[in-house]
Amino acid sequence: MRNLPKSNIEILEFIPDAIVIVNSDGRIILVNSQTEKVFGYSRDELIGKPVEILVPERLRDLHVGHRQDYYSKPCPRPMGRCSDIVCLRKDGSEFPADISLSPIETEEGFLVISDIRDITERKRNEKALEDSEKKYRDLADNAIVGIYQSTLKGDILYVNDALARMYGFESPDDMISGGALLRYKNPKDRGNLMENLKKDGKVTDLELEMLTAKGETKNFLVSATLNGEVLSGMVIDITGRKRAEEEIKKLNEDLERRVIERTNELAATNKELEAFSYSVSHDLRSPLRSIDGFSQALLEDYMDKLNDQGKDFLVRIRAATKRMTQLIDDMLNLSRVTRSEIHREKVDLSALVNAIASDLRKIQPERKVEFVIAPGLVTHGDARLLRIALENLLGNSWKFTGRRPEAKIEFGAVEQQGRPAYFVRDNGAGFDMAYAGKLFGAFQRLHNMTEFPGTGIGLATVQRIIHRHGGDVWAEGKVEQGATLYFTLSLT
Amino acid sequence: MSNPLPTISNLKSKIILLVEDNPDDEALTLRALRSSNILNEVVVARDGREALDYLFGEGAYAGRDLSTMPEVVLLDLKLPKIDGLEVLRQIRSHERIRFMPVVILTSSREEKDIINSYSLGANSYICKPVDFIQFTEAAKQLGLYWLVLNESPPVKRRK
């Protein structure tokens, strides 16, 4: 504990600011040690000098003017009044300062006591704060998502550009002056939001319908936290996304509806087709029967009145009706094959071929045909349709080996790209590979009617059946050296 | 001891009811029967209505002596007015004639027709072949079977 210093002047030594006392001529008459420290001068170097020695050269004239203004109307001026004061140290460096001025009248005349404080540190802090604040403000202002702060009552404390624009305002200011922040489409939503906030202190990813300034409805995704009385939140405009979702939903419903319509149409068409082919085949057969019947009646009753030519004509008529009947049957089969549903099950192809072979033998027991049938070839498919396909293939082989005294028909499988390719091979009439492309066309024949009868639908039917099973069918042949028909089936 | 072979007299008295709307088919069927030596009386009804009138003694056949019934009905399916299946249904639902042999004689080979016919109680289903020689053969077999070999149900007498 010390005693108070002896004179007032000594007190000045303990003041942490630089004290400079200037007389009416502007000369320094007293400084304290802090002044020495701050400005880098010794006391003696300053006493008697004009106070402008402490001011940067460029500002000296201005300072003189200020000083004279001050002298004309001196009054105590505390710190914080002037903001751009710059001081000059002895070493030529400058620093920002804050100054207070106090005029006094003394025996030595009018004096001004100035308290000079180096505010470099303060300025630096202020700048740092300013920068920081700017940084965060920029972040919020320029965010793409909407950011806001409001009171619990709904008064806006802050909105960023993005949010203002979301609500259809030109700028945040427009929005603040425009009214309450949360313009709910369904007022109940506000209650929900508030409840959640009070309960958990926050809401996350709440989908809300809001009204914009123009009264449009938009969909917003809102997240907010409650800190005391202040709500801080983020808003994302998901109107676009919601509309897209709705579009997709509508498109899907549309699509479903159309699929159902099409399926019904298809079913109806199929039914019509069925009725059509049924009635067509029925109605076509009737007149054929008449033609054939009365031709035969003619042949029988007027035999003596007909010459050979006449008889020949009638025979041809009957042959033609026979062909047409076969055609009708084949076409009916083909269309039925296309329309019928596929029921997949295990099918023993070897057994099927055996059965068909024995049927063929029963129909024409006089023929000598050797069958070589690979056993145990089992697959998955529609048993009925596969039977029709094999009947056609084997029937063809049977027919086209008709002229061979030693006819041989084989059934087996070869491996092709990991899948079995089944084949029916015969040593019959064969065909010219040049016409291989026509083989499977409907009504296409590679042989003359007189050589081998047929309507040309058999292979078209086979192809349709195989294709419906997801497989392929192709042929290899040589004229008079037999033919091999291959087919694959998909397993699914 | 039952008489296994029919005499000419009672063979001739057996009637065939042919229900057929197509005049060509009618002519050809009759021809086929004749050339197979089946010389029985053939009553021809040209649609379902006529067939039922004949069997029940109504309409054009009002007052017919109903003790005389056909031995067998050869029934086409596609008929105007009342179709074949309806005729069959009516025959099978009437006490007096429900056991009458009905042979469906049609050009349809459709599975649903076959199923429906048998479901309603047809005795037989024959597809009319286009080939006339085959048709004649079929008619002959039909005639021999139903008129000669088959034992027909007795006709219930009116009290």
Side-chain angles (χ1 to χ4, degrees), chain A residues 173-186:
Chain A
D173 291 328
D174 279 351
M175 181 162 182
I176 292 173
S177 56
L181 176 66
L182 301 167
R183 301 144 71 94
Y184 294 87
K185 185 153 186 235
N186 313 308

Side-chain angles (χ1 to χ4, degrees), chain A residues 274 278-279 281-283 285-290 292-294 296-298 300-301 318 321-322 325 329 332 336, chain B residues 22-25 27-28 31 35 76-78 106-110 112-113 128-136:
Chain A
E274 214 183 294
Y278 166 72
S279 108
S281 71
H282 183 275
D283 296 339
R285 285 204 191 101
S286 256
L288 275 181
R289 199 173 27 255
S290 301
D292 189 82
F294 290 113
Q296 183 61 19
L298 251 179
E300 287 168 6
D301 295 359
R318 294 200 67 224
T321 55
K322 227 198 212 62
T325 308
D329 286 343
L332 206 64
R336 209 177 282 130
Chain B
N22 185 327
D24 282 353
D25 276 346
L28 290 171
R31 185 193 172 86
S35 51
D76 191 7
L77 285 180
K78 263 182 123 203
T106 181
S107 18
S108 162
R109 213 172 284 131
E110 292 292 306
K112 67 171 170 139
D113 284 332
K128 282 188 270 194
V130 169
D131 183 310
F132 187 66
I133 293 181
Q134 285 181 15
F135 191 24
T136 309

Side-chain angles (χ1 to χ4, degrees), chain A residues 57-339:
Chain A
E57 262 191 65
R58 63 185 185 278
L59 300 174
R60 280 180 188 161
D61 289 339
L62 207 59
H63 191 264
V64 173
H66 282 160
R67 202 161 35 79
Q68 276 162 355
D69 282 346
Y70 186 71
Y71 287 165
S72 63
K73 266 219 244 164
C75 61
R77 191 167 5 146
M79 287 195 184
R81 285 286 172 82
C82 316
S83 51
D84 300 314
I85 302 170
V86 188
C87 296
L88 182 70
R89 294 196 189 92
K90 178 179 182 182
D91 64 7
S93 62
E94 298 177 6
F95 65 89
D98 207 355
I99 298 186
S100 75
L101 302 169
S102 313
I104 58 168
E105 276 288 350
T106 66
E107 287 142 14
E108 281 115 352
F110 173 71
L111 296 176
V112 181
I113 306 176
S114 44
D115 180 334
I116 304 172
R117 189 175 292 163
D118 183 345
I119 56 170
T120 312
E121 193 66 38
R122 186 174 81 185
K123 277 236 177 253
R124 197 182 308 137
N125 288 342
E126 274 175 12
K127 179 116 196 342
L129 198 65
E130 219 178 271
D131 285 347
S132 172
E133 202 239 27
K134 180 164 196 307
K135 183 169 89 179
Y136 286 107
R137 180 160 278 264
D138 276 353
L139 204 67
D141 281 346
N142 297 324
I144 295 176
V145 301
I147 299 179
Y148 72 93
Q149 272 196 332
S150 72
T151 64
L152 270 180
K153 271 203 304 169
D155 299 317
I156 303 173
L157 298 172
Y158 167 77
V159 290
N160 70 349
D161 278 355
L163 192 74
R165 276 191 308 249
M166 278 181 199
Y167 274 89
F169 292 98
E170 291 287 324
S171 71
D173 291 328
D174 279 351
M175 181 162 182
I176 292 173
S177 56
L181 176 66
L182 301 167
R183 301 144 71 94
Y184 294 87
K185 185 153 186 235
N186 313 308
K188 259 203 296 202
D189 289 338
R190 173 148 216 269
N192 284 338
L193 178 74
M194 288 301 153
E195 234 179 80
N196 282 327
L197 274 175
K198 294 210 176 109
K199 193 167 64 162
D200 302 321
K202 63 174 179 183
V203 283
T204 328
D205 290 341
L206 192 66
E207 282 191 25
L208 292 171
E209 276 185 301
M210 303 296 245
L211 293 170
T212 65
K214 299 187 185 103
E216 302 171 71
T217 306
K218 284 200 184 174
N219 300 87
F220 290 154
L221 193 67
V222 176
S223 299
T225 49
L226 186 61
N227 249 328
E229 292 286 310
V230 172
L231 221 98
S232 308
M234 261 195 3
V235 180
I236 300 180
D237 186 347
I238 54 169
T239 314
R241 195 222 291 176
K242 271 256 171 253
R243 301 242 165 99
E245 276 174 20
E246 233 126 78
E247 273 281 327
I248 291 178
K249 191 162 150 250
K250 202 164 86 67
L251 278 174
N252 274 345
E253 285 171 2
D254 226 24
L255 204 69
E256 252 183 68
R257 189 179 44 83
R258 282 201 280 169
V259 164
I260 291 176
E261 261 176 41
R262 283 293 147 76
T263 311
N264 288 342
E265 271 174 32
L266 211 70
T269 305
N270 259 0
K271 270 202 110 183
E272 272 177 32
L273 230 79
E274 214 183 294
F276 175 74
S277 40
Y278 166 72
S279 108
V280 155
S281 71
H282 183 275
D283 296 339
L284 283 179
R285 285 204 191 101
S286 256
L288 275 181
R289 199 173 27 255
S290 301
I291 296 171
D292 189 82
F294 290 113
S295 307
Q296 183 61 19
L298 251 179
L299 266 175
E300 287 168 6
D301 295 359
Y302 294 87
M303 192 145 47
D304 48 345
K305 299 239 173 53
L306 284 168
N307 61 3
D308 283 341
Q309 170 126 305
K311 290 193 187 109
D312 176 56
F313 287 168
L314 288 169
V315 164
R316 281 176 193 256
I317 290 175
R318 294 200 67 224
T321 55
K322 227 198 212 62
R323 272 204 307 285
M324 187 156 164
T325 308
Q326 187 59 50
L327 210 60
I328 292 173
D329 286 343
D330 285 349
M331 278 190 347
L332 206 64
N333 260 340
L334 188 59
S335 84
R336 209 177 282 130
V337 159
T338 316
R339 277 184 286 110

Side-chain angles (χ1 to χ4, degrees), chain A residues 374-393:
Chain A
L377 289 176
V378 176
T379 187
H380 257 88
D382 185 304
R384 207 172 49 92
L385 289 178
L386 286 176
R387 193 196 174 106
I388 294 177
L390 284 168
E391 275 171 357
N392 269 293
L393 291 173

